[in-house]
Amino acid sequence: MWPLYAAGFTTAFGAHGIAANLGADTDDAVTSLLVLGGLLALYDGAEVLLKPLFGTIADRVGARPVLLGGLVAFAVASALYALADSPGWLWAARLGQGAAASAFSPAASALVARLNPAAKHGRAFGSYGFYKSIGYTLGPLLGGVLVWAGGLRLLFTVLAVLGAAVALWALIAVPVVPPLPRARQTVLDLARRLADPAFLVPTAALAGATAALSVGVGFLPVSGAVAGLGTVATGAAVSVLAACAAVVQPRAGRALDAGRISTRGGLTAGLLLAAAGLACAMLPGLTGILLAAALVGAGTGLITPLGFAALAASTPRERLGQTMGAAELGRELGDAGGPLLLAGVASAATLTYGYGVLAVLLACGPVVALGVRRARGAGAR
């Protein structure tokens, strides 16, 4: 399992380490805000388009080859800019990293499910999410140190070495998990499975959690600056958010496996915690920001392992890669949609109203999920 945890760390560290430090580049690679936005969107755009595809390929040829191929491709893409050091190769490297992460991220999730019995899925996904959270937390900090010491080329060099090392580790330690026989699936069959509440509810909860997390990381520092707080205080608030998410995930997974919480109750509690955190962000000053960070972190930490464990439990084992890829797509849409929604509301009104609108949407999530389940139950009768 450790190489899979390392793969989760790699994708998180690579995504946030570079994204948080592209704007600090003083060379000719990042020449304007438009270029910066394009480079940031390139990685996420590749993930949105390719994760479901690579998830399906993992079901067909096996998750281990897709994991290894993705990690090697990540190392090669990172080495491109480290060796070439030109603006054009930065675009190619960023696109290559996003495509590679689209391969090994859902493959790693599928292997976490395949290599663990159903009774331990909560613990396994909680630990996997913990190490991804560590990557998200350390990425901006360590990436900033590396860029300060040697520029973007040094950061890309470290990522190339990291990707190659994890690929070698996975080659040695991850067992061969052959693909399972699959019944023929039509597009209509796929649509029905993805529209089933067993898939839709956990994926929507994961998307909502990711939206709240992305908003917290991106906009709580803005609220801090408006309140007259310095960068140290706002940076500490973001660290609290990431730390709470990292600490809660393995505990939530163990509680699920032990039967102390249910999937439905845990997802509901997580959405309500995240909504309460966004509501606290509407309060002025440091207290509101810290409360928001702690509650959003705890809510997302509760939802993530429970959501993936629920998806693994409800998915035929021969379709795990496809399901994980589609669920990752939902998370990417939440990652992009949350900040866009908040920014749109804030542009028309204020940032406070933006927090409030997103808080209401998250709080309504459990009500909508209950309505969907009841409607499906009535239709079945």
Side-chain angles (χ1 to χ4, degrees), residues 2 21 44 64-65 71 73 151 173 186 288 298 329 333 375:
W2 287 104
N21 292 286
D44 292 331
R64 185 174 181 267
L71 286 167
T186 66
L329 170 60
L333 293 176

Side-chain angles (χ1 to χ4, degrees), residues 38-142:
L39 287 168
L40 293 174
L42 199 60
Y43 188 99
D44 292 331
E47 289 194 307
V48 167
L49 293 174
L50 296 177
K51 275 186 173 179
L53 172 63
F54 280 117
T56 301
I57 293 174
D59 289 333
R60 182 170 299 173
V61 304
R64 185 174 181 267
V66 176
L67 173 75
L68 296 174
L71 286 167
V72 170
F74 186 86
V76 171
S78 301
L80 281 177
Y81 182 70
L83 296 173
D85 190 23
S86 69
W89 283 112
L90 177 59
W91 287 83
R94 195 65 177 152
L95 178 61
Q97 285 180 329
S102 302
F104 72 79
S105 182
S109 298
L111 283 168
V112 169
R114 286 289 302 274
L115 294 175
N116 287 276
K120 294 184 178 179
H121 276 170
R123 183 190 299 267
F125 280 108
S127 297
Y128 180 71
F130 171 79
Y131 286 101
K132 287 192 76 169
S133 295
I134 295 298
Y136 287 133
T137 304
L138 294 182
L141 176 61
L142 294 184

Side-chain angles (χ1 to χ4, degrees), residues 69-278:
L71 286 167
V72 170
F74 186 86
V76 171
S78 301
L80 281 177
Y81 182 70
L83 296 173
D85 190 23
S86 69
W89 283 112
L90 177 59
W91 287 83
R94 195 65 177 152
L95 178 61
Q97 285 180 329
S102 302
F104 72 79
S105 182
S109 298
L111 283 168
V112 169
R114 286 289 302 274
L115 294 175
N116 287 276
K120 294 184 178 179
H121 276 170
R123 183 190 299 267
F125 280 108
S127 297
Y128 180 71
F130 171 79
Y131 286 101
K132 287 192 76 169
S133 295
I134 295 298
Y136 287 133
T137 304
L138 294 182
L141 176 61
L142 294 184
V145 172
L146 292 170
V147 170
W148 171 80
L152 279 177
R153 290 185 71 186
L154 179 58
L155 176 55
F156 274 84
T157 300
V158 170
L159 289 173
V161 173
L162 176 63
V166 175
L168 179 60
W169 191 8
L171 178 65
I172 296 171
V174 175
V176 175
V177 181
L180 297 172
R182 299 178 303 154
R184 182 177 177 273
Q185 176 181 257
T186 66
V187 174
L188 183 58
D189 292 332
L190 175 61
R192 286 172 177 167
R193 187 158 62 83
L194 298 185
D196 192 283
F199 171 84
L200 204 55
V201 171
T203 301
L206 288 167
T210 308
L213 180 65
S214 182
V215 163
V217 171
F219 288 92
L220 286 181
V222 177
S223 296
V226 171
L229 302 175
T231 55
V232 174
T234 55
V238 174
S239 297
V240 167
L241 190 157
C244 287
V247 168
V248 168
Q249 287 192 62
R251 288 168 171 76
R254 288 195 294 268
L256 177 66
D257 291 341
R260 295 195 299 271
I261 59 174
S262 66
T263 299
R264 182 184 301 181
L267 294 179
T268 299
L271 287 171
L272 293 178
L273 280 172
L278 292 171

